[in-house]
Structure formats: C-alpha cells, structure tokens
Amino acid sequence: MKRVLIIGNSHDKHLSRFIKGLRSLNVDYAIDILDVSMRQDLCESNSLYDRVCISKRTHPDFIYKIPFLNKLCKYRDTVLAFKNIVKDYSLISVQFITIQAGFLYSSLKKNGAKLIVTPWGSDIYRIGAFQRNFTRKLLAEADFVTLMPSSKFGDDVKREYQLAESICLPLCFGSDILDAIFKDSKSRADCKKQLLGSADKFTITIGYNASSAQNHLQVIEAISNIKNILPSNTILLLPMTYSKVESYMDEVRFALDELGVEYRIFDKYLSDEEVLDLRKGTDLFIHMQKTDAYSSSLQEALLSKSKVINADWLRYKELEMDGLPYYLANFNNLTSVISQALTDSCRPIDITDALRCYTWTYQLAEWNKLYKQYC
C-alpha cells in the first residue's frame, strides 16, 4: 500500500481533525505520522494513523533535565527516529514548521521522497531568528509549499522566503463550520435563542480564543467609550475555550465587570453546533488579533451576514477581491468604527460565493488529490 508520512504534532486537534476528514474519504493510501511533539504521554489521536513513530530517548536521563541540552537531545532523537523510517515513504508532508522538523531538512529528501511543507501561521509570524534559519532551509528543500489561496499570508511567506510561484499550491485546511453555515437554515434569532436562551439580545462577539493576542482588553476599553450608545439589550460574547492563561482570563473578567455590560465567556469546549449558533447568532464580530494567517472565524462571521470589524493590519486580499466586506480599524479609531458599525443600516458587501472554496469539503478533496498523486 502507498504511504504518506505526516510530520507533525499528533496531539494537535487541528491536525487530528484534518486526518479524520481524510479518513472519511476512504483514502486508498496509508497515513502515518512522525510525532514531533516531544511528549511521552499516550495520545488518543494516535488511533487515526496506520503507524505512529515517536522519538525515543537515546541519551542518559539526567541530560533531559538540563534545559538547553534537553531540547538539543530531543531534536537529535527526532532525527534518529526519522532516519529509521524514511526509506518507507515517497511522500512526506510537514504540517506546521517546528524546529524539530527544521532539524530534518538535510535528511528529508535523501530517499527521493516528495516533500510538501505546510506553514500554519504562527510558525511564520511568531518565531525568532534561530527558528527562522531552520524554516528557510526546510522551505528551500520543499517540492511544494501549501498556502491559503490568494492570501496576504501566502504573499508574506513567498516574499520572506523567496519561494517560486510554481511550487506554491493553493491549499488550506478549510472550515467545517463554513460547510455547516452553507447548509443551515436557522435564523439569527433561532441561533441566539439556542445559544443564550433568548432571541432578544444584541450580540457583540470579541475574538475567537483566550489568547491575549486577541486584544480583548483593548476592545473592551474601546467599547467602554461608547457604552452610552450601545443597544440596551447588548450582550458581549467572548469565546475563550482554548489558549487559556488564568491570570489573563481574570484580567478580562475584571475589565468586563468594570464595564457593566452583560457578558458571557465561553471557556468550555463548544460543539460544532454551538459554534454554528455563535457565528450565526452574532450581530457584530470584532476581530483585532495581533496576527492571523488564516481567517476561518472571520469567514464564518461574514458568511453568517454579521457585521465585522477587522484590524487594519490584518488584510485578507482573498476576501477583498470586490471591495471591503468588513470595517477596518486600529486602536486609535476603534471606538468610532464600532459606533459606525452600530449605526449603519447596511452591511458591507456580500462575499458568499467567494467563500465556497474555503469550505472543509472542498479543501479536503483537494488535499486527497495531492496526496494520491505523489504517494
């Protein structure tokens, strides 16, 4: 049987969702993984793979207790594990560029395997010079680099790492929530009632996770400046189900209590149905994240016909082909832009048709074609 080797973190929920999606297509090739998480605990997601290779410790135990040497030894362990299995593969797919994967750059193609590298976003935007060096070497070895179609992120990667257009493929993971929104017939009021127990609320959603990079505190401050013009039935919704740091969560709760506007923090896992209700039940979505390569939550809000405020440093040219589908803001003018969004009677342009190629169904089929062609 043909085999594809994934190099990634087997504990990652996004990668697990991707593999589950491929499995649902009844693929005719084996899917294996070299887990580079450097974790030794068992992972439920391992059952998704035909083979799982976890790097084993090859050095004395005491070395792994020394911070700097600990990492170097784990990286070397990953290289050794890879060398033991590389001969079995004609296709290797790196999902998220880690330093561990970067350490493999000199070994990845020695067996003649095709190499596909998929950066996810933070592995490009939130790295230092040390990791950038390995990223550059890894991308230089790639036969193909997959990037979100027509995106600023794709442009940034191609420019920073001088990638030829011919090796860049328009692929991303896609959004299963987009699929669900396309199929769903519930009204905004129905979704509000399902999510909040009442349809009689004006809903403002701030960000989509608990990371401080979502800039919740700055958004809350901007809202406080126009508290007097908010609809009396306003409720602020904050999805904070992952990337949680309790001290930061406490700061956000304190700021919300000081604001004095009704709010709800979602800090427990949300099912797909609940995420659907959140997206479609939102009147205004405020997205002021520090960096964001892929815009799934933004796309879902736009498809739901919510008004959207997007940070002006986060431009998505794939969504702006026919003009701006959202309001643009920075922290100097966010208060006035929120005010404008609240009072405008019409929404920005509709981009429903342009969003179809970002659905989970469409993107999974394209990934399957790619893997079948080269494995």
Side-chain angles (χ1 to χ4, degrees):
M1 177 181 275
K2 296 178 180 179
R3 317 190 74 88
V4 56
L5 177 66
I6 306 292
I7 297 179
N9 180 355
S10 64
H11 297 259
D12 185 87
K13 64 185 181 67
H14 299 297
L15 183 56
S16 297
R17 185 173 68 94
F18 173 58
I19 302 302
K20 284 179 185 176
L22 287 176
R23 293 293 189 198
S24 72
L25 301 179
N26 297 313
V27 297
D28 59 358
Y29 47 86
I31 305 175
D32 304 338
I33 187 167
L34 172 62
D35 178 27
V36 294
S37 67
M38 301 198 296
R39 291 170 57 170
Q40 299 297 312
D41 53 317
L42 293 176
C43 177
E44 291 182 9
S45 298
N46 285 352
S47 62
L48 295 171
Y49 301 94
D50 295 285
R51 292 179 188 167
V52 177
C53 180
I54 299 173
S55 58
K56 296 179 180 179
R57 295 186 172 187
T58 60
H59 303 275
D61 286 344
F62 77 90
I63 292 183
Y64 294 93
K65 297 177 182 179
I66 303 172
F68 181 69
L69 290 179
N70 171 37
K71 286 190 175 182
L72 285 179
C73 288
K74 286 181 176 180
Y75 298 153
R76 186 171 183 275
D77 292 342
T78 301
V79 172
L80 292 174
F82 177 75
K83 286 182 176 179
N84 288 332
I85 62 172
V86 63
K87 64 182 183 302
D88 296 334
Y89 300 97
S90 57
L91 176 63
I92 298 169
S93 177
V94 175
Q95 293 288 348
F96 193 92
I97 304 172
T98 59
I99 293 179
Q100 300 93 295
F103 263 87
L104 298 174
Y105 75 91
S106 62
S107 306
L108 280 167
K109 294 178 66 178
K110 283 187 176 178
N111 199 49
K114 289 287 185 182
L115 174 62
I116 300 171
V117 179
T118 303
W120 285 18
S122 59
D123 50 350
I124 296 294
Y125 287 142
R126 300 179 189 176
I127 60 175
F130 180 71
Q131 185 168 342
R132 190 171 292 113
N133 178 53
F134 284 101
T135 297
R136 190 175 307 280
K137 291 176 178 178
L138 182 63
L139 290 172
E141 292 293 327
D143 293 287
F144 300 107
V145 178
T146 66
L147 300 164
M148 176 173 272
S150 305
S151 64
K152 178 181 180 296
F153 173 64
D155 290 345
D156 289 346
V157 174
K158 285 183 276 190
R159 181 179 61 254
E160 174 70 22
Y161 296 98
Q162 299 180 334
L163 301 180
E165 197 69 42
S166 58
I167 72 165
C168 297
L169 303 180
L171 280 175
C172 58
F173 275 8
S175 165
D176 46 1
I177 301 300
L178 280 180
D179 278 301
I181 294 171
F182 270 115
K183 296 172 186 175
D184 188 73
S185 59
K186 287 189 294 186
S187 67
R188 192 179 308 283
D190 290 337
C191 291
K192 289 181 183 180
K193 188 168 184 180
Q194 185 70 30
L195 187 69
L196 304 171
S198 171
D200 186 29
K201 296 288 184 182
F202 182 82
T203 51
I204 300 176
T205 297
I206 302 173
Y208 61 83
N209 66 40
S211 170
S212 60
Q214 297 283 334
N215 291 315
H216 303 93
L217 296 174
Q218 292 92 325
V219 174
I220 293 167
E221 181 181 0
I223 291 173
S224 71
N225 295 328
I226 52 163
K227 179 180 173 182
N228 62 318
I229 69 168
L230 293 175
S232 60
N233 59 341
T234 294
I235 182 170
L236 305 181
L237 306 178
L238 290 85
M240 304 182 79
T241 60
Y242 61 95
S243 299
K244 289 183 281 191
V245 175
E246 203 54 45
S247 59
Y248 178 70
M249 298 276 286
D250 288 342
E251 286 185 71
V252 172
R253 290 189 187 96
F254 180 80
L256 290 166
D257 289 339
E258 288 288 297
L259 179 64
V261 174
E262 184 181 2
Y263 70 89
R264 182 173 298 184
I265 292 176
F266 299 96
D267 58 0
K268 301 291 191 298
Y269 170 81
L270 293 176
S271 67
D272 286 352
E273 187 66 26
E274 289 170 321
V275 175
L276 173 70
D277 289 334
L278 176 62
R279 296 289 186 263
K280 292 191 68 176
T282 292
D283 292 301
L284 174 62
F285 176 57
I286 303 178
H287 181 240
M288 300 293 289
Q289 188 177 195
K290 183 178 179 182
T291 63
D292 192 37
Y294 296 109
S295 51
S296 294
S297 296
L298 190 75
Q299 293 169 357
E300 292 154 12
L302 291 168
L303 184 60
S304 298
K305 304 297 191 294
S306 303
K307 290 183 179 179
V308 174
I309 295 173
N310 184 48
D312 62 10
W313 59 85
L314 299 177
R315 299 296 293 270
Y316 305 98
K317 72 174 190 178
E318 71 274 18
L319 304 179
E320 298 178 8
M321 298 296 190
D322 298 312
L324 287 175
Y326 34 61
Y327 302 91
L328 290 174
N330 53 58
F331 290 120
N332 292 322
N333 67 1
L334 180 57
T335 295
S336 62
V337 174
I338 295 173
S339 177
Q340 179 188 358
L342 290 173
T343 55
D344 275 356
S345 58
C346 61
R347 293 185 176 87
I349 61 172
D350 186 345
I351 58 168
T352 299
D353 290 339
L355 292 174
R356 293 189 187 278
C357 71
Y358 300 103
T359 62
W360 185 235
T361 301
Y362 179 90
Q363 287 294 327
L364 267 182
E366 294 301 304
W367 275 104
N368 186 37
K369 288 178 190 175
L370 178 65
Y371 282 171
K372 284 183 72 170
Q373 182 177 354
Y374 290 105
C375 76

